[in-house]
Amino acid sequence: MKTFNTYYATLLTAITTALWVGSCQTKETDVLEEGSFKLIQTQIFDKSCATSGCHASEQDASFRQHGLVLTADVSYTNLINKFAKNTAANADSMRLVMPGNVSKSFLYTKINCSAASLLAGKQYGNPMPLGANGLSVGEIEFIRKWIESGAARSGGSVDASLITNSVPLCGSGFGSTFTALAPPKPSEGLQLHLEPFEVANTYEREIFVRKPVGNASELYINRVQTRMRPGSHHFILYNFKNTTNLPTEGQVRDLRNSDGTNNLLTFLSMQNHVFWAGTQTQEHDYQFPEGVALRIPANYSFDFNSHYVNKTAGKIPGEVYVNLYKLEKEKVKIVANSLNLGHESFSLPAGQRTVVTKTFTFSKPTKVLMLTSHTHKLGEKYVIKIVGGPRNGEIVYESTDWEHPLIKTFVQPLEFNKGEGLMSEVTFNNTTTKTVKFGLTSEDEMDIIFGYYYEQ
């Protein structure tokens, strides 16, 4: 009897184990035997992209910026051979996904965190997902091979086991070691540093800190290099229209209070800002033409503006390094200035699109080296045209991304005679129920051309 019971007990255990193992193998096989794109949808898009606030619906706060929904019902159609809203990517003839061509597929460039230098050089914006840990080696390689093999909607020959490789491509995300930007040699320049600050979980934090340059004498800067920790939305160095009654040096001024309301004093201090340098990418390196430089007066200070996004469950640090490279005064042929052309007298009726234009003319012959734009969230399209002269009406700048506006550098500066100038043509879509006018809060709007120029 003992032998009989032992036999059946052993047999029952074997059957149960086989059923359990078979069930697990069946589930794993089901996942791995799905078509390549379905795997991308279920294992990547649904978990890391089509989430609330990102690419889940047209009601997401960020939709006006990217215009891309990646839910299962529309993701494939929205990706294949479609243009991105990023102006620089469009100028480079990229598509969101160009079947068979990885280098021309904007999706791959944006998820590849190891391409940070490319993103910076091309003005493609930050790697995605912003404010969250990046995709793994296996996930990124799976998408690369899917695009390379033709980006089919169903079926596919990509090795499904790739997608199970969970090793992070760029370290362990926000917890990985951050390499500080190496400072210039003292003879070549100096480094500014915005020390680490905390960004709470599932929170966006934007701060301002006035910091001294530490220069006892005037400086001429012809190159600005920036590096930030992951999660940065943007960084801007501002100088001031009026140098009296400046914010306290070293004081951290949050744009919003802990309860989410706007910090009125911080917003008011922004009225005194003039763009000096900035970037929307984690790394950026801007160099002026030979002999051209920005002048920094002695004993100067900048207002550091850093905006971080944290969509993780834990706290993350923000941190910024800026290298300013000097040009000896005797080598400076041209002193460049910050362009700051603001339009404040416009009104946007509720519930409709409005095109707002403003013309700015130069009082002296002028050359423009760089252009960028600034609106708030209702800005859909920003166009800058030449006014006057033989190129009258020519479009020289166009951006459809209000949060990451194009920074356009001109190899050959735009030349203007006295009386000629630039016109901003901005399409606003006021989806609110009230009239919106120029103002400093996020519920108001702005229309500003920033850039660099010099007078001849």
Side-chain angles (χ1 to χ4, degrees):
M1 180 65 67
K2 182 178 180 180
T3 302
F4 182 81
N5 286 342
T6 300
Y7 169 77
Y8 275 99
T10 302
L11 179 61
L12 181 61
T13 299
I15 293 172
T16 303
T17 300
L19 288 172
W20 180 82
V21 171
S23 174
C24 290
Q25 288 178 336
T26 299
K27 289 179 181 178
E28 183 175 343
T29 301
D30 286 346
V31 170
L32 297 182
E33 287 183 353
E34 289 179 343
S36 296
F37 182 71
K38 189 173 182 181
L39 272 176
I40 291 171
Q41 183 67 52
T42 58
Q43 304 303 307
I44 300 175
F45 290 169
D46 289 351
K47 295 177 180 179
S48 300
C49 309
T51 55
S52 178
C54 297
H55 298 276
S57 75
E58 293 186 8
Q59 281 66 54
D60 286 323
S62 62
F63 178 76
R64 290 192 189 92
Q65 173 196 330
H66 53 68
L68 179 62
V69 176
L70 289 176
T71 53
D73 54 331
V74 295
S75 59
Y76 188 83
T77 301
N78 286 348
L79 287 171
I80 301 301
N81 286 317
K82 295 296 193 301
F83 284 103
K85 289 195 72 175
N86 182 281
T87 309
N90 289 343
D92 288 340
S93 301
M94 299 188 83
R95 301 293 188 273
L96 289 173
V97 170
M98 186 179 289
N101 194 334
V102 175
S103 65
K104 289 293 184 181
S105 293
F106 194 53
L107 171 70
Y108 179 75
T109 302
K110 291 289 283 185
I111 63 172
N112 186 0
C113 61
S114 66
S117 59
L118 173 62
L119 294 174
K122 291 288 190 179
Q123 297 300 322
Y124 288 168
N126 285 301
M128 291 289 115
L130 180 65
N133 290 322
L135 301 185
S136 70
V137 171
E139 291 170 330
I140 293 171
E141 180 64 4
F142 190 90
I143 290 177
R144 186 188 71 79
K145 287 182 174 293
W146 170 70
I147 295 172
E148 197 174 57
S149 65
R153 183 167 196 160
S154 58
S157 57
V158 181
D159 181 3
S161 64
L162 276 174
I163 214 164
T164 63
N165 180 349
S166 59
V167 176
L169 177 61
C170 300
S172 54
F174 294 111
S176 61
T177 301
F178 171 68
T179 303
L181 189 63
K185 296 177 182 178
S187 60
E188 296 178 347
L190 68 156
Q191 185 174 85
L192 305 178
H193 182 210
L194 181 59
E195 293 79 4
F197 59 92
E198 184 180 280
V199 185
N201 60 299
T202 60
Y203 186 70
E204 290 191 34
R205 188 179 185 191
E206 185 168 356
I207 65 170
F208 295 83
V209 184
R210 186 169 78 89
K211 295 177 69 69
V213 176
N215 58 319
S217 58
E218 67 178 4
L219 297 174
Y220 291 89
I221 304 300
N222 73 335
R223 179 186 174 195
V224 182
Q225 187 181 21
T226 310
R227 178 178 294 171
M228 296 169 277
R229 285 183 180 270
S232 172
H233 176 277
H234 75 250
F235 172 72
I236 299 176
L237 277 179
Y238 287 107
N239 59 16
F240 303 96
K241 300 175 187 175
N242 190 327
T243 55
T244 60
N245 299 319
L246 295 179
T248 303
E249 211 172 79
Q251 181 185 45
V252 177
R253 294 142 37 226
D254 274 88
L255 187 64
R256 292 176 180 82
N257 300 311
S258 57
D259 62 359
T261 59
N262 294 326
N263 186 325
L264 181 58
L265 290 178
T266 302
F267 272 104
L268 290 175
S269 72
M270 294 169 64
Q271 293 185 84
N272 196 27
H273 280 158
V274 177
F275 175 90
W276 195 85
T279 178
Q280 292 81 37
T281 55
Q282 190 175 330
E283 296 203 28
H284 188 62
D285 195 341
Y286 181 85
Q287 189 157 358
F288 287 91
E290 185 177 354
V292 179
L294 291 170
R295 177 181 175 272
I296 298 179
N299 304 310
Y300 206 68
S301 63
F302 287 111
D303 218 10
F304 284 58
N305 170 216
S306 182
H307 181 184
Y308 266 76
V309 179
N310 180 14
K311 296 179 181 177
T312 71
K315 301 173 182 177
I316 68 169
E319 187 176 10
V320 184
Y321 286 88
V322 182
N323 286 348
L324 303 180
Y325 288 87
K326 300 183 293 187
L327 185 64
E328 297 172 11
K329 186 175 182 178
E330 55 270 22
K331 293 182 180 179
V332 177
K333 300 176 183 177
I334 297 167
V335 177
N337 298 290
S338 296
L339 193 67
N340 185 27
L341 306 176
H343 180 200
E344 300 182 8
S345 57
F346 59 84
S347 180
L348 310 176
Q352 68 182 60
R353 283 185 173 85
T354 304
V355 178
V356 173
T357 63
K358 177 69 174 179
T359 297
F360 307 90
T361 56
F362 298 112
S363 59
K364 297 180 180 179
T366 299
K367 290 189 177 182
V368 173
L369 300 167
M370 184 273 281
L371 290 172
T372 187
S373 58
H374 180 73
T375 71
H376 291 171
K377 60 187 177 183
L378 302 182
E380 279 192 333
K381 187 176 183 179
Y382 205 109
V383 173
I384 302 175
K385 298 178 180 179
I386 291 177
V387 175
R391 299 172 66 178
N392 181 58
E394 180 181 339
I395 295 175
V396 291
Y397 176 94
E398 185 173 339
S399 181
T400 55
D401 188 340
W402 72 272
E403 282 198 287
H404 304 100
L406 174 69
I407 299 175
K408 186 170 182 178
T409 300
F410 300 96
V411 177
Q412 294 295 326
L414 299 176
E415 297 189 28
F416 300 89
N417 293 317
K418 178 181 177 181
E420 297 173 356
L422 296 168
M423 181 179 74
S424 63
E425 181 182 275
V426 190
T427 303
F428 291 100
N429 184 13
N430 185 0
T431 55
T432 74
T433 57
K434 65 177 184 178
T435 298
V436 176
K437 297 184 178 182
F438 176 89
L440 299 174
T441 76
S442 59
E443 300 306 310
D444 300 317
E445 264 303 336
M446 286 191 172
D447 170 7
I448 305 175
I449 298 175
F450 287 129
Y452 298 126
Y453 76 98
Y454 62 89
E455 295 174 343
Q456 297 174 287

